[in-house]
Amino acid sequence: YEIDKSYFEKLFNLNSLYLSSNLLKHLSANSSFFGLMSLKILNININRLEFLLPNLFIDLKNLEELDLSDNHLISFQLSWFN
């Protein structure tokens, strides 16, 4: 499954988002979390993610907590989170 850009684009004040156990396989860079400027907590654990694209979380300037546990991630770089 995949997250469409329009799902969250008007939720400017959303602080927490829990997407655990949704069988997600792919997250699109610069669109999956578009508009979530106030997001502090993002939980996308227990899915089927294998790869994270650079700049995936670049617009999440207020993000404090990210849970990617129990996915099928092969690799990612910490520099993508700056």
Side-chain angles (χ1 to χ4, degrees):
Y1 297 97
E2 197 171 323
I3 298 173
D4 187 87
K5 177 180 177 178
S6 64
Y7 288 163
F8 307 122
E9 67 184 350
K10 296 185 181 186
L11 299 175
F12 304 113
N13 295 317
L14 188 69
N15 289 320
S16 303
L17 180 59
Y18 297 88
L19 296 171
S20 298
S21 304
N22 280 290
L23 303 176
L24 294 173
K25 289 184 177 183
H26 183 265
L27 298 173
S28 299
N30 296 325
S31 66
S32 291
F33 305 112
F34 179 78
L36 297 177
M37 295 175 235
S38 299
L39 197 67
K40 293 183 178 181
I41 299 171
L42 177 57
N43 186 326
I44 45 181
N45 71 332
I46 314 171
N47 281 290
R48 295 182 179 175
L49 298 173
E50 293 181 356
F51 299 98
L52 296 179
L53 298 173
N55 301 325
L56 178 63
F57 305 109
I58 199 158
D59 292 329
L60 303 179
K61 303 292 184 195
N62 293 308
L63 191 64
E64 297 174 1
E65 185 177 319
L66 175 63
D67 187 349
L68 295 167
S69 62
D70 296 314
N71 276 287
H72 303 134
L73 292 172
I74 295 169
S75 70
F76 64 89
Q77 297 179 10
L78 290 177
S79 63
W80 297 348
F81 298 92
N82 293 334

